[in-house]
Amino acid sequence: MRYSQMFLPTGREIPADAEIISHQLMIRAGLIRKLTSGIYSYLPLGYRVIRNVERIIREEMNKAGAQEVHLPMVQPIELWQESGRSEHYGTLLLKFLDRNKHQYCLGPTHEEVITDLVRNDVKTYRQLPLNLYQIQTKFRDELRPRFGLMRCREFGMKDAYSFDVDEAGAEKSYARMFAAYKNIFRRCGLRFRPVEADSGSIGGKYSHEFLVMADAGEDAMVFCDKCDYAANLEKAEVAAPEKKNIVGESFLPLESVHTPDVRTIEEVCSFLQIQPQQIVKTLIFAADGQAIAVLIRGDQEVNEIKVKNYLGVSEIALADDDMIFKATGAPRGFAGAVKIKCRVLADYSVMNMINFVTGANQEDYHLKNVNIGRDCSVESFADLRVVEENDVCPRCGGAIQFARGIEVGHVFKLGTKYSKAMKALYLDRDGREKIMIMGCYGIGIGRTAAASVEQNHDENGIIWPMPLAPYQVIITPVNVNEQSVMAAADNIYQSLSALNIDVILDDRDERAGVKFKDADLIGIPVRITVGQKNLASGNVEIRIRKTAVTSLCALDKVAAEVHQIIKEELDAASGQD
RNA sequence: CGGGGCGUAGCGCAGCCUGGUAGCGCGCUUGCUUUGGGAGCAAGAUGUCGCAGGUUCAAAUCCUGCCGCCCCGACCA
């Protein structure tokens, strides 16, 4: 393609509303433009990158035995009522009426549609297993879209759904997708890590997220130095401590102290001259509307997701003042387990504590020397807190590290959540009706491209890994008015095109510096500079964007040389699992 | 939804406090010079100052309401 013909608006200025580097560069490099909050247009260069991601996904999905379908984006609300997610998905669902006042929604995901499709046409174990996928535009009315393609409302997604006759089959499908995902992201040139994750509102038994390592990522992860344990921060386990034998003699007498207007951990510490580790924090949660107290050591944080999963409830949030008062008889800031009027759970961090401080369930009073067993009781001890720096790996006891990542893929083992609710049944070998076992597997397309930019850039712009590059080569004739230069550039252009290489010929009548800057900004992996001086000795210059290494190459060898460079880059990225 | 910020030329911004001819840089157009890392000079074009009311002789500027966008939080595959 001739640059002068391309719709490729590049910009020097950093757009004011772009916070992270990938967002800034994708706009500056003319890949995307925002239409409105969380909704973007892909320009020609951006769309070529998207199509490259999609191509890699298609190849690996097909190789893994999945078949491509294309499901509707507009879905009748009844399907969502049937699965029970119409309520639960809440405001993320964009609902609207047609002319007959029939309610529809824009598909934020397609479990319902695919389950409906399969239940109608799959009747016997002979038709299973089945894995169907699509690449579709999804719409989720995000509370807060942000960071360009990172969190959009409208976004491209590959979603796959597997249907199996039994657990063993479902495991196999899951493992196959897991392996395919590793291949996909490796081929995209990303540094990533699969981590254990919470399955959230989609439900299911367990799941893994594929996180691309990047400081701008919205997810925090924990991983072990020694073994391959890695988990999303919200999922990361804390090993249960050993239960110490506490003898009653060490208990000091319970004491009530006047603590006027002393509420927070810091205030209690400075007022009583103690450390947070001597306090037991009592948080009151509303779990599906019921008050639940959670005890935790004063210096640590409750992980609400762990509490939610432990209780098996669908909604959890910190209680409001009203509920706190009903449970404790006191305003916020003075809760404690002694004589509290609700269920009490405790994090492991509290298990071996004695003579601790808590709120007194009475305004302006705290209790000293509280002891579980003597003064209050706990329904059970469990892992309910957020993992922290000093913790060790729950699997092997090794040291753990923290990192941030961008969630580009998520695989879920759904079990029968949807197949049961929507009656996706089949007849087994013995003629008995059984429920299909499902899995679902998503990849954010635009987010994958953005993650790549986040990982591969420098101060001059994007550095596309070869497999995602919108064009693999850019030819830069230094002076288009010099006939010999243009003729040579044209010649190389023809040779490379003949080898099926995607190449831009920068035929603009611009100064060399401008063209170099644009080539760097848009991140084309290989640049061939054609200048008068080198041409005089029959040479052109090959420059590698990533390394900035520049070498001279004879005119008649340049096509073969560049072809080889591209092949090596692609091969290096495509090691399979 | 709570808190904060912003809305002026395609992009980045000043002007607003203290009302009185709408500006700067980049980009764009034309010409001349220049030509290996975002050139120089000259001449140009481009605005419902987010929208709607109000105050005033006069509103980008003051007041009220609304809309949009961004950030933090809450929430979320």
Side-chain angles (χ1 to χ4, degrees):
Chain A
M1 186 87 199
R2 287 172 182 270
Y3 199 126
S4 64
Q5 310 299 309
M6 294 172 72
F7 177 47
L8 175 41
T10 58
R12 196 195 305 219
E13 310 269 6
I14 297 171
D17 57 2
E19 195 78 1
I20 63 171
I21 193 78
S22 60
H23 187 193
Q24 295 171 356
L25 285 176
M26 289 179 95
I27 290 170
R28 286 188 52 211
L31 302 175
I32 58 170
R33 287 292 182 265
K34 181 171 70 187
L35 178 63
T36 184
S37 178
I39 300 182
Y40 286 82
S41 300
Y42 296 96
L43 278 49
L45 208 67
Y47 195 51
R48 288 180 74 98
V49 174
I50 295 298
R51 288 215 319 267
N52 284 337
V53 174
E54 291 177 351
R55 176 179 45 77
I56 291 169
I57 290 173
R58 282 198 172 93
E59 287 173 11
E60 295 298 331
M61 290 304 290
N62 293 343
K63 202 184 297 175
Q67 300 172 63
E68 186 166 6
V69 294
H70 197 75
L71 305 170
M73 203 176 81
V74 173
Q75 308 177 6
I77 200 72
E78 286 84 355
L79 273 184
W80 288 77
Q81 289 162 347
E82 194 178 349
S83 71
R85 285 209 293 182
S86 174
E87 288 291 303
H88 193 239
Y89 231 84
T91 51
L92 276 182
L93 261 190
L94 180 63
K95 300 172 191 165
F96 56 94
L97 303 175
D98 72 0
R99 69 172 77 212
N100 296 318
K101 306 251 161 43
H102 206 105
Q103 196 168 41
Y104 293 86
C105 64
L106 286 183
T109 176
H110 284 72
E111 282 81 13
E112 281 79 1
V113 172
I114 197 82
T115 307
D116 177 67
L117 180 72
V118 168
R119 72 177 167 186
N120 289 333
D121 283 288
V122 175
K123 301 290 178 193
T124 149
Y125 72 96
R126 291 170 193 274
Q127 292 170 285
L128 296 171
L130 195 57
N131 187 328
L132 301 174
Y133 78 97
Q134 67 166 343
I135 292 174
Q136 238 303 17
T137 300
K138 310 286 193 196
F139 193 94
R140 296 181 186 172
D141 199 358
E142 288 286 344
L143 298 164
R144 187 142 102 82
R146 57 182 135 186
F147 301 149
L149 294 191
M150 209 72 96
R151 179 168 294 274
C152 286
R153 296 197 291 169
E154 182 179 302
F155 61 101
M157 181 174 174
K158 186 284 303 177
D159 47 326
Y161 305 89
S162 67
F163 297 84
D164 279 276
V165 295
D166 56 19
E167 282 295 333
E171 296 279 348
K172 217 179 280 178
S173 295
Y174 188 89
R176 192 174 294 164
M177 284 296 107
F178 193 94
Y181 272 40
K182 287 208 274 187
N183 290 338
I184 289 165
F185 297 124
R186 190 178 303 139
R187 283 185 61 186
C188 287
L190 296 165
R191 295 182 301 283
F192 66 97
R193 202 150 179 159
V195 305
E196 295 179 14
D198 185 69
S199 50
S201 75
I202 205 157
K205 292 188 169 166
Y206 59 86
S207 77
H208 287 86
E209 286 172 343
F210 286 77
L211 298 186
V212 169
M213 316 302 283
D215 291 338
E218 293 186 286
D219 288 87
M221 61 175 288
V222 166
F223 61 93
C224 178
D225 272 350
K226 281 195 197 146
C227 70
D228 58 6
Y229 180 75
N232 191 303
L233 186 69
E234 64 186 29
K235 173 79 174 178
E237 299 162 29
V238 177
E242 226 171 285
K243 174 86 180 120
K244 286 189 189 139
N245 195 19
I246 297 170
V247 285
E249 289 89 74
S250 51
F251 289 176
L252 299 172
L254 187 66
E255 195 184 319
S256 176
V257 283
H258 187 52
T259 52
D261 213 28
V262 174
R263 292 160 197 273
T264 66
I265 296 293
E266 296 79 50
E267 287 164 359
V268 173
C269 282
S270 70
F271 189 87
L272 296 177
Q273 292 296 299
I274 55 171
Q275 296 300 307
Q277 289 85 340
Q278 296 167 262
I279 301 176
V280 167
K281 192 157 58 169
T282 306
L283 296 168
I284 313 295
F285 285 95
D288 284 351
Q290 294 295 309
I292 302 268
V294 175
L295 310 185
I296 188 165
R297 206 172 72 191
D299 59 324
Q300 294 180 319
E301 293 301 319
V302 169
N303 182 332
E304 290 190 17
I305 290 167
K306 288 182 178 176
V307 177
K308 181 180 164 189
N309 289 339
Y310 181 86
L311 293 170
V313 297
S314 56
E315 293 284 343
I316 195 157
L318 280 171
D320 58 22
D321 290 347
D322 197 43
M323 186 180 268
I324 290 173
F325 193 86
K326 276 188 186 132
T328 67
R332 187 181 294 271
F334 301 99
V338 181
K339 294 185 183 144
I340 197 167
K341 296 184 285 274
C342 66
R343 288 173 67 185
V344 178
L345 302 177
D347 178 68
Y348 285 135
S349 57
V350 174
M351 196 161 72
N352 291 320
M353 288 175 72
I354 58 168
N355 300 323
F356 52 80
V357 170
T358 71
N361 293 334
Q362 183 185 350
E363 185 162 12
D364 291 345
Y365 283 90
H366 278 75
L367 297 175
K368 282 168 79 173
N369 302 327
V370 178
N371 285 287
I372 294 167
R374 184 189 68 183
D375 308 314
C376 59
S377 58
V378 164
E379 186 180 309
S380 56
F381 292 95
D383 170 21
L384 300 175
R385 73 174 167 90
V386 178
V387 68
E388 53 175 34
E389 303 276 350
N390 305 327
D391 287 318
V392 295
C393 172
R395 297 281 183 277
C396 76
I400 53 168
Q401 288 198 34
F402 289 74
R404 298 196 69 81
I406 299 163
E407 181 193 354
V408 290
H410 203 154
V411 293
F412 299 85
K413 195 158 171 303
L414 290 177
T416 56
K417 178 177 160 117
Y418 298 92
S419 45
K420 193 171 176 186
M422 297 180 64
K423 300 195 175 59
L425 310 170
Y426 69 95
L427 288 182
D428 72 5
R429 200 178 291 269
D430 304 316
R432 281 184 307 222
E433 197 164 67
K434 289 204 169 151
I435 304 171
M436 297 179 200
I437 315 289
M438 290 175 62
C440 76
Y441 318 93
I443 292 178
I445 311 273
R447 200 184 263 191
T448 299
S452 178
V453 176
E454 205 61 46
Q455 263 186 359
N456 305 294
H457 67 269
D458 63 13
E459 66 280 5
N460 293 314
I462 300 172
I463 304 172
W464 289 114
M466 194 61 79
L468 297 192
Y471 291 88
Q472 296 155 333
V473 179
I474 183 165
I475 303 168
T476 308
V478 165
N479 184 348
V480 296
N481 298 314
E482 194 61 47
Q483 221 179 1
S484 61
V485 168
M486 257 332 262
D490 250 320
N491 209 305
I492 299 167
Y493 179 72
Q494 300 299 338
S495 327
L496 291 175
S497 300
L499 291 168
N500 261 331
I501 292 167
D502 293 320
V503 45
I504 298 175
L505 174 58
D506 193 348
D507 60 336
R508 294 175 301 166
D509 186 7
E510 287 284 356
R511 297 168 64 86
V514 172
K515 299 202 209 185
F516 293 154
K517 286 289 183 189
D518 273 334
D520 284 353
L521 177 61
I522 65 178
I524 307 303
V526 179
R527 187 180 87 205
I528 301 172
T529 312
V530 184
Q532 219 167 345
K533 279 180 209 145
N534 288 321
L535 206 53
S537 47
N539 289 320
V540 295
E541 213 174 83
I542 298 175
R543 183 185 166 96
I544 307 301
R545 173 70 178 89
K546 186 163 54 183
T547 59
V549 170
T550 305
S551 58
L552 283 183
C553 182
L555 249 185
D556 57 341
K557 298 213 172 66
V558 66
E561 175 66 20
V562 166
H563 186 65
Q564 184 60 25
I565 291 169
I566 292 170
K567 188 174 178 305
E568 278 169 18
E569 286 279 324
L570 289 176
D571 288 348
S574 67
Q576 298 283 291
D577 247 42

